[in-house]
Amino acid sequence: MSATVAPTSPSVSTQRHHARPLIRLAKANEGPVVEWLLLESGRHGTVDGIDWTQSIAPYWLIAEDEDGVAVGCLQVNPGKPLGRLDWMGVPAYLPRRQKALIVRDLLLTGIATCRAQGSQIVAGMIDDTLTDYQRLLVRRGGQAWSKGTMYVVRA
């Protein structure tokens, strides 16, 4: 695994300033890092039988803090003409301001990645309780398109 995974017990930061995260494409062997980030977000449960050791490149973005610790992830699915962003994971224990920077930079990098691959529209599902995420996207020109329930089916 190339990215350092954040500790399981958060340390309380007295800093008010958080540096912008470094956003990069995940490496092929970083599936376990992504799995950990999704679980630590508190928004995604586990699905038994998923093999996180298989190559995940080039479909995920990883956010790293200034120490190289993985602090966020986002699945990026470019398509023509429609792209999709899914499965964001940012540890729930991080300070609100740091999470906001990570989420913003992951979303904007994900949109730019899809655009560069030919996507004209980028879609993604955001839980109704995540109003800050929704406001961010509205400020960037996003609009609510539909509502529904996400289903997973074994391939």
Side-chain angles (χ1 to χ4, degrees):
M1 218 178 307
S2 61
T4 307
V5 176
T8 55
S9 58
S11 58
V12 178
S13 172
T14 56
Q15 293 179 327
R16 299 184 125 211
H17 171 74
H18 294 284
R20 299 270 305 270
L22 168 72
I23 308 296
R24 61 171 178 78
L25 285 172
K27 295 179 180 88
N29 66 342
E30 289 185 303
V33 173
V34 168
E35 178 186 28
W36 182 85
L37 288 164
L38 293 174
L39 292 172
E40 287 297 307
S41 74
R43 304 205 64 80
H44 305 290
T46 60
V47 178
D48 291 335
I50 292 180
D51 179 8
W52 285 102
T53 63
Q54 67 180 328
S55 175
I56 63 167
Y59 302 105
W60 290 85
L61 296 176
I62 299 282
E64 292 181 346
D65 68 11
E66 58 272 13
D67 297 320
V69 175
V71 291
C73 65
L74 178 66
Q75 187 180 45
V76 179
N77 298 298
K80 293 180 183 179
L82 308 173
R84 187 159 176 85
L85 302 177
D86 264 320
W87 300 102
M88 181 180 288
V90 177
Y93 59 75
L94 292 176
R96 179 181 169 89
R97 177 72 181 142
Q98 186 179 12
K99 281 193 290 191
L101 290 171
I102 295 165
V103 166
R104 181 194 64 198
D105 288 358
L106 279 170
L107 286 173
L108 295 179
T109 304
I111 292 167
T113 301
C114 286
R115 182 184 306 118
Q117 296 296 316
S119 301
Q120 297 172 35
I121 290 178
V122 180
M125 183 172 282
I126 298 178
D127 189 285
D128 284 338
T129 63
L130 300 175
T131 55
D132 289 346
Y133 295 2
Q134 293 172 5
R135 279 194 295 274
L136 168 70
L137 289 170
V138 168
R139 283 194 309 268
R140 301 289 180 171
Q143 54 187 297
W145 196 13
S146 67
K147 290 186 175 215
T149 302
M150 181 182 285
Y151 289 85
V152 295
V153 177
R154 252 188 226 289

